[in-house]
Every structure is written in structure tokens, then in C-alpha cells.
């Protein structure tokens, strides 16, 4: 039924699905990429797909994914707040690699993200990660 999921995502969440695929290309674990970009609860997905299948209204889309040329990347320095947000992200990823230490990694992620936001309250990366963290720990 993977074809059904792909059709549903393309028909109803095309931009977010593209962003999800891009995050996967960047090496983000699929569960985090799913929550960051799609946010569809797994416990409702089967019912959503069943409803979509019964409606039998499938769109046809062509999606092009393009890798940016390597020379488009540049090396830059990170601010302290960006470094803390990145470390918070790594702690969140570590929950997938070390499930037995999830509580520790979540606590450390929250500390790093809170500190990043205390330095730069509008830092997009930290705000986005904090939102994901709050959704999954409340």
C-alpha cells in the first residue's frame, strides 16, 4: 500500500512531502523528517488512507527533485545560538539511535534549545525543533 501513501501525500501535501523527501536526502531520520514536515499522526494514517482510497479521486502529478550544485554551498561560521540548536537537533536524533537514553537526550535537547532561544528568541531552527519536541513530550 506504499503507492497509496505516496499518492495521498502528493495529492494533499505536495510541498510538505517534497520538504520531507529533501530532509531525508539531508540525512534526517525518517521519523523526525515526518514530524517536522508532515506531522500526520501515525495512529490516524490508516483511516485517512482508507478514506482517500474509497473516494477514488487520485491526482496525477510530476514532481522534479533537483540537487543543488556542490559549488552553491559555502562554509560559514555558526553563531552560539545556531550551534546550540544544532546540538539540540543531534540530541533529538540520538533518541532514535539510543532509545534506552531517550529521557536524557530529550532533556539535553530541551536545555540546548532553550539556551539557543534565550540568545536569539526568533531563531527558526530552534523554534521549529522546540515545537516538535513539545508535540512529542507533552
Amino acid at each position: 500500500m506504499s503507492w497509496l501513501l505516496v499518492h495521498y501525500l502528493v495529492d494533499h501535501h505536495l510541498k510538505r512531502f517534497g520538504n520531507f523527501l529533501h530532509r531525508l536526502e539531508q540525512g534526517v531520520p525518517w521519523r523526525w523528517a515526518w514530524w517536522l514536515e508532515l506531522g500526520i499522526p501515525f495512529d490516524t494514517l490508516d483511516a485517512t488512507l482508507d478514506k482517500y482510497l474509497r473516494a477514488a479521486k487520485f491526482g496525477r502529478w510530476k514532481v522534479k527533485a533537483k540537487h543543488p550544485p556542490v559549488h552553491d554551498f559555502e562554509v560559514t561560521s555558526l553563531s552560539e545560538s545556531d550551534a546550540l540548536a544544532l546540538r539540540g537537533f543531534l540530541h533529538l536524533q540520538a533518541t532514535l539511535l539510543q532509545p534506552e537514553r531517550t529521557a536524557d537526550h530529550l532533556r539535553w535537547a530541551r536545555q540546548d534549545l532553550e539556551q539557543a532561544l534565550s540568545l536569539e528568541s526568533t531563531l527558526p531552527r530552534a523554534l521549529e525543533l522546540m515545537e516538535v519536541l513539545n508535540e512529542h513530550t507533552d
Side-chain angles (χ1 to χ4, degrees):
M1 295 287 260
S2 60
W3 68 269
L4 182 62
L5 175 60
V6 171
H7 273 268
Y8 171 78
L9 293 174
V10 169
D11 283 350
H12 293 280
H13 306 286
L14 181 61
K15 182 172 176 34
R16 292 177 8 203
F17 183 50
N19 292 343
F20 166 75
L21 294 175
H22 183 70
R23 286 190 186 268
L24 294 179
E25 285 179 349
Q26 294 174 323
V28 175
W30 76 268
R31 286 183 188 272
W32 284 110
W34 180 273
W35 284 111
L36 290 170
E37 294 304 334
L38 297 163
I40 302 168
F42 295 121
D43 60 345
T44 65
L45 191 55
D46 284 339
T48 300
L49 292 177
D50 286 345
K51 181 178 176 183
Y52 177 68
L53 181 60
R54 282 191 307 274
K57 294 183 180 178
F58 310 114
R60 293 183 60 136
W61 295 84
K62 286 186 179 181
V63 179
K64 289 185 178 182
K66 163 177 126 174
H67 292 270
V70 173
H71 64 273
D72 284 353
F73 293 93
E74 68 180 71
V75 176
T76 60
S77 298
L78 288 178
S79 67
E80 184 178 356
S81 55
D82 274 323
L84 286 162
L86 180 58
R87 190 168 70 181
F89 174 75
L90 293 173
H91 281 303
L92 291 173
Q93 294 228 4
T95 63
L96 301 171
L97 300 172
Q98 294 180 310
E100 70 281 0
R101 305 242 2 235
T102 294
D104 290 333
H105 286 294
L106 291 175
R107 185 176 71 253
W108 296 328
R110 184 173 301 281
Q111 289 170 350
D112 285 342
L113 294 171
E114 285 175 349
Q115 189 174 356
L117 291 169
S118 75
L119 295 170
E120 190 176 338
S121 63
T122 60
L123 185 65
R125 176 181 294 143
L127 289 169
E128 182 178 353
L129 291 169
M130 188 62 87
E131 183 178 324
V132 170
L133 180 62
N134 287 335
E135 284 176 8
H136 301 295
T137 57
D138 290 341

